[in-house]
Amino acid sequence: MCGIVGYIGPKSAESVLISGLKRLEYRGYDSAGISVISKDNKLETRKKAGKVSVLVQELADLPIAPAHIGIGHTRWATHGAPTDRNAHPHIGGSHHRLSLIHNGIIENFASLKKELSAAGTVFTSETDSEVVAHLVAIEYDKLQDLKQAFMVVVRRLEGAFTLLCIHQDHPDVVFAARRNSPLVIGLGQAENFLGSDVAAFIEYTKHAVAVGQDQIVELRSGSFQISDFEGNPVEAEEFEVSWDASAASKGGWPSFMAKEIADQPQAVGDTLMGRISSDGSVNLAEMADLAKLSEANRIVFVACGTAAYAAEAAKYAIEKWAKIPVSVELAHEFRYRDPVIDDKTLVIAMSQSGETMDTLMAVRHALSEGAKVLAVCNTQGATLAREAHATIYTHAGPEVAVASTKAFTAQVTAGQLIGLVLAWQRESLPIVELKKIGLELLTLPRKIKEVLDTAASMGELAKGFADAKSVLFLGRNIAYPIALEGALKLKELAYIHAEGFAAGELKHGPIALVENGQPVIVIVPSRLGEGSLHAKVVSNIQEIKARGARVIAIAEAGDSETGDYADEIFFIPETMPLLAGQLSVIPLQIFAMELSNAKGLDVDQPRNLAKSVTVE
Ligand code: F6R
């Protein structure tokens, strides 16, 4: 939530900041702004409510001075409405020489604001962030040392913050600080960058440095220094970014969402790459870091939203293959209810961004209780990866559309890999069975591609539902979390009320919702799956049809029975029942995307949302 970018070097600060903000816009799009220090040492700022495109228009109408240092911000509003005044950067002090941007929430801002107001400071916004800008400016006026002033202030702050600050008396340095919010440095040739994540500067450099908790950065064009909040130097952790810039651009697709849905064969293929050998055996070297993993007596996933549904989908496979109890906890509920965990619990934190505050807080709690923590994360340099004992990266590439698609299929795949490794370690299934699963996993990228090749029909169908008031999703077993994910995608992208249900739960209440014409999307289990689940779900279809539902079925190729009852049917290729989630979710993603397009909505940046929820 909120994207920040900083630059110092020979390029035009304005163009580096704007391109960084465009890449970070998925983190929030309530307002955007930049500050630069011109060559004749004048601080200039432009900021506007609305998306980065509105700021770009403002810069065209009211050009900003050419400059080689600057900071930029795209906002997801917390304190104060999304207005021009509340947009960042905020100017500190009565001389208007300092500019500051902030991602996070300053929890003690009210008392700090009171103190400043009593001393005569006049505020121009309702934000918590402006308080910090004034504090640093006032402290600087006292100390005449920007770094000391910045340090004195950050030590007083409570809550979550990434802060970037420039001062026109010091046109050769950007100061930054972070606590509980993300920050990475990008290292270039005689130029350096700061960003909420590597997407901010991926166009210019792949050489990056992760900034740790409670650290301060002093960034100059040819050097950088990291210290703690007391000023003690801290060693930098450098890494190479594996994403390339083209992966974070639309590349001719009408939207990032369309591109990312189409990227899924590669996202899943890359997540499997090097981890399953050609004979089907699995090797997740990252898990070797988790000493005595096979001694864990249960697994608890902590995650939010789509990532939690991916964990739910993985749960079915892990329990079945590795015979270990698995539960999935919404991270924000887990953290605040004294969960029973100990050193025999393996906590797996699933997070695309690795910055979701709810998930991070759950992980910190689990660590404090002695649990082993494994992260499943898509973003290099993310806080989650730094705090967990070990990390398995999903290699889905940058996910820019706010609603998650390719990260989901990659997360489910990573969860299945974990299940497979545990099953090998625990010898819970014969090796021949495990190799068979490994080999079937390797077929998934091809099968996902087959689904995509035939998915246009699902898109066409979706257009007919633009006036729907509500859509229900039914699934059972592995398809239950897929139904939940399908419903979430529809809510997020098309603003249509949607609910996912376990098909078996239907008769226990939800069937009361079914009336004439009610659209219901049913994910039908494989005929090869558990017991008679296929027959049971086909019966469910008949029950809702009898009450007037309009049924769209997602069924496996060769299922000749379901079509007799459903109004529409979309086939996915055959696979092992536990692996079918990565296939059946694709038509649901396309359904939601095309419905959003049909309603003329912004499919990449749905209203009220931000990717990377970095506040609790
Ligand atoms: C929905 C979506 C969110 C995220 C959730 C967790 O489309 O994207 O529900 O899945 O906010 O985000 P990460 O995976 O970054 O922790």
Side-chain angles (χ1 to χ4, degrees), residues 124-144:
T124 57
S125 79
E126 300 141 291
T127 65
D128 51 340
S129 316
E130 189 187 352
V131 172
V132 187
H134 288 301
L135 282 172
V136 181
I138 291 167
E139 207 60 47
Y140 174 72
D141 287 346
K142 274 195 247 158
L143 300 172
Q144 290 300 303

Side-chain angles (χ1 to χ4, degrees), residues 304-308 350-356 359 399 402-404 411 485 488-489 492 610-613:
C304 302
T306 286
M350 189 85 107
S351 174
Q352 187 284 129
S353 61
E355 299 293 350
T356 299
T359 306
E399 196 179 59
V402 166
S404 191
Q411 283 166 340
E485 172 60 7
L488 178 58
K489 287 289 93 84
E492 289 180 293
K611 209 169 179 70
S612 217
V613 183

Side-chain angles (χ1 to χ4, degrees), residues 67-280:
H68 300 292
I69 175 171
I71 54 177
H73 187 272
T74 178
R75 178 171 187 243
W76 188 85
T78 57
H79 291 56
T83 59
D84 289 356
R85 282 191 321 132
N86 288 333
H88 297 219
H90 291 287
I91 305 303
S94 50
H95 307 301
H96 301 130
R97 291 181 308 187
L98 176 139
S99 176
L100 178 136
I101 55 178
H102 169 219
N103 165 208
I105 291 179
I106 306 296
E107 285 170 4
N108 58 336
F109 94 99
S111 62
L112 295 170
K113 189 168 183 174
K114 217 163 151 193
E115 172 190 316
L116 286 170
S117 298
T121 299
V122 179
F123 290 88
T124 57
S125 79
E126 300 141 291
T127 65
D128 51 340
S129 316
E130 189 187 352
V131 172
V132 187
H134 288 301
L135 282 172
V136 181
I138 291 167
E139 207 60 47
Y140 174 72
D141 287 346
K142 274 195 247 158
L143 300 172
Q144 290 300 303
D145 179 327
L146 189 54
K147 185 173 184 179
Q148 285 302 328
F150 194 58
M151 259 183 332
V152 166
V153 173
V154 295
R155 286 200 294 260
R156 294 191 67 193
L157 304 179
E158 288 164 21
F161 50 85
T162 299
L163 300 164
L164 262 58
C165 165
I166 54 175
H167 194 296
Q168 71 174 33
D169 291 359
H170 300 274
D172 53 354
V173 62
V174 183
F175 281 103
R178 74 155 288 220
R179 168 182 288 164
N180 291 331
S181 287
L183 178 64
V184 277
I185 305 172
L187 301 178
Q189 295 292 336
E191 61 179 353
N192 287 318
F193 307 80
L194 289 160
S196 299
D197 64 47
V198 296
F201 48 73
I202 185 90
E203 198 177 338
Y204 308 105
T205 180
K206 289 178 152 194
H207 198 37
V209 177
V211 181
Q213 182 72 336
D214 285 5
Q215 292 181 357
I216 286 184
V217 181
E218 182 176 343
L219 192 82
R220 296 174 189 274
S221 56
S223 67
F224 72 93
Q225 274 182 1
I226 306 182
S227 58
D228 63 19
F229 282 3
E230 306 301 325
N232 304 307
V234 173
E235 208 165 312
E237 280 179 45
E238 299 189 19
F239 63 96
E240 285 300 308
V241 182
S242 59
W243 299 346
D244 62 26
S246 66
S249 66
K250 275 189 216 166
W253 290 89
S255 60
F256 279 106
M257 172 70 44
K259 174 176 183 276
E260 287 162 12
I261 288 175
D263 274 349
Q264 289 177 103
Q266 181 159 1
V268 170
D270 287 352
T271 300
L272 292 168
M273 201 185 322
R275 290 166 169 173
I276 297 191
S277 53
S278 54
D279 72 345

Side-chain angles (χ1 to χ4, degrees), residues 296-300 340-347 370-372:
N297 58 18
R298 70 189 180 112
I299 291 176
V300 177
V340 182
I341 40 176
D342 55 26
D343 58 359
K344 290 268 188 295
T345 311
L346 173 64
V347 170
K372 288 265 179 307

